[in-house]
Amino acid sequence: MATYAIGDIQGCLDSLLLLLDRCRFDRDRDRLWLVGDLVNRGPRSLDTLRFVRDLGPAATTVLGNHDLYLLMVAAGLDRRGKGDTLDEVLVAPDRVELLDWLRRQKLCHLEGDFCLVHAGLLPQWTAATARALAAEVEAVLQGPSCAEFLANLWGSEPLSWSDELLGWSRLRVIVNAMTRMRFCSLSGAMDLKTKGEAADAPAGHLPWFDIPGRRSADTVLIIGHWSALGLRIEDKLLALDSGCFWGRHLSAVRLEDRAVFQVECSNGESQV
């Protein structure tokens, strides 16, 4: 059995299928860990959702910001972004079943020495703390208050974590850190506007994984979200968003031996 962690797919199912063939993935034996952002921008968001859902226990996925955006749009709670590619999902005959499946996915997955999360963890959080906080969000997202939660999700405030936070503000910080963060200050205040390379950090900020004393530093963090960062393989960090939609690569790392597999992409889909 092998476990393959794969970067942001964003509706590029053809690229995913080619990558799985390159990995010689066997759904009856192997597992996939997906960093989130299954949908949007690429041409086959609907087919991607169906494919991953139908993998059942062979696939573990965490929610990304684009996945949450789909849930918000489907609930009528967000203005459509220019160029999104979600129409097929929104009018699909199995829309209800797919969206129900999506909202039941984890925000953060912790297993052994690995923590799978879309964007990152605030420096105050251990991986175990992050998993417990993610469970708070998951309980609301999967429960009767889901629509109210989605209605209060949009926004960037507060930018910092406090154990005293309550209600929607508390859940919003957890979601923003785990699905949107790239940079934060030494004290853990997020910058949610800057989207460039690591060297483009705003004054007083660093990439979240470079914050000294980060409490999750003893865990291997597997992330996506940051296409400008590119594929980055370190002892305690596997950053896997290598810009498939942007015409670069879709990447997988086999966790057992850190072997890297890639396919080249063009206009959101692969070159055979």
Side-chain angles (χ1 to χ4, degrees), residues 8-265:
D8 302 40
I9 300 166
Q10 294 199 267
C12 296
L13 181 61
D14 291 346
S15 299
L16 175 62
L17 295 177
L18 187 58
L19 180 60
L20 294 182
D21 183 63
R22 190 154 295 177
C23 295
R24 298 187 178 182
F25 171 73
D26 182 342
R27 63 183 297 165
D28 295 323
R29 180 192 65 200
D30 302 327
R31 295 193 299 166
L32 297 183
W33 283 17
L34 305 175
V35 299
D37 277 3
L38 299 180
V39 301
N40 204 18
R41 291 185 171 150
R44 299 186 64 187
S45 290
L46 175 59
D47 293 335
T48 301
L49 284 177
R50 288 171 173 165
F51 177 78
V52 176
R53 178 199 59 185
D54 292 346
L55 286 173
T60 295
T61 186
V62 292
L63 293 167
N65 52 304
H66 284 276
D67 306 316
L68 290 169
Y69 167 71
L70 168 58
L71 293 174
M72 294 168 73
V73 168
L77 297 171
D78 198 8
R79 292 177 294 177
R80 298 291 296 274
K82 183 178 179 180
D84 79 28
T85 59
L86 300 176
D87 286 344
E88 279 194 327
V89 179
L90 298 172
V91 300
D94 52 349
R95 158 193 163 130
V96 172
E97 293 84 359
L98 288 170
L99 295 176
D100 185 65
W101 172 83
L102 187 62
R103 73 185 181 95
R104 295 181 185 282
Q105 303 313 299
K106 293 180 178 181
L107 193 63
C108 169
H109 177 69
L110 181 61
E111 185 175 327
D113 295 329
F114 298 101
C115 180
L116 179 71
V117 66
H118 181 63
L121 303 183
L122 285 169
Q124 302 98 317
W125 299 342
T126 65
T129 298
R131 177 59 225 142
L133 294 174
E136 295 182 26
V137 174
E138 292 157 10
V140 177
L141 188 60
Q142 297 168 21
S145 300
C146 177
E148 188 178 2
F149 164 72
L150 292 171
N152 285 277
L153 182 55
W154 185 256
S156 298
E157 299 291 338
L159 290 172
S160 300
W161 174 252
S162 167
D163 289 335
E164 283 69 48
L165 283 171
L166 299 171
W168 304 127
S169 294
R170 179 183 179 90
L171 299 183
R172 193 182 305 118
V173 172
I174 298 168
V175 170
N176 283 342
M178 295 190 187
T179 68
R180 296 178 60 200
M181 178 177 64
R182 294 180 180 91
F183 299 102
C184 66
S185 70
L186 295 180
S187 63
M190 294 179 282
D191 176 282
L192 296 174
K193 297 179 180 179
T194 307
K195 297 183 179 181
E197 300 178 2
D200 297 325
H205 293 70
L206 292 171
W208 66 267
F209 47 79
D210 285 336
I211 296 295
R214 174 171 60 86
R215 297 191 65 204
S216 60
D218 60 344
T219 304
V220 181
L221 272 292
I222 306 171
I223 66 165
H225 184 59
W226 199 343
S227 61
L229 189 66
L231 181 66
R232 186 163 175 168
I233 308 297
E234 300 178 0
D235 183 43
K236 298 294 185 180
L237 179 71
L238 304 177
L240 303 182
D241 185 359
S242 47
C244 178
F245 173 75
W246 304 109
R248 301 204 300 274
H249 297 89
L250 184 64
S251 301
V253 173
R254 189 166 56 207
L255 299 186
E256 288 76 14
D257 61 1
R258 302 293 184 98
V260 174
F261 304 83
Q262 289 188 312
V263 293
E264 294 183 4
C265 304

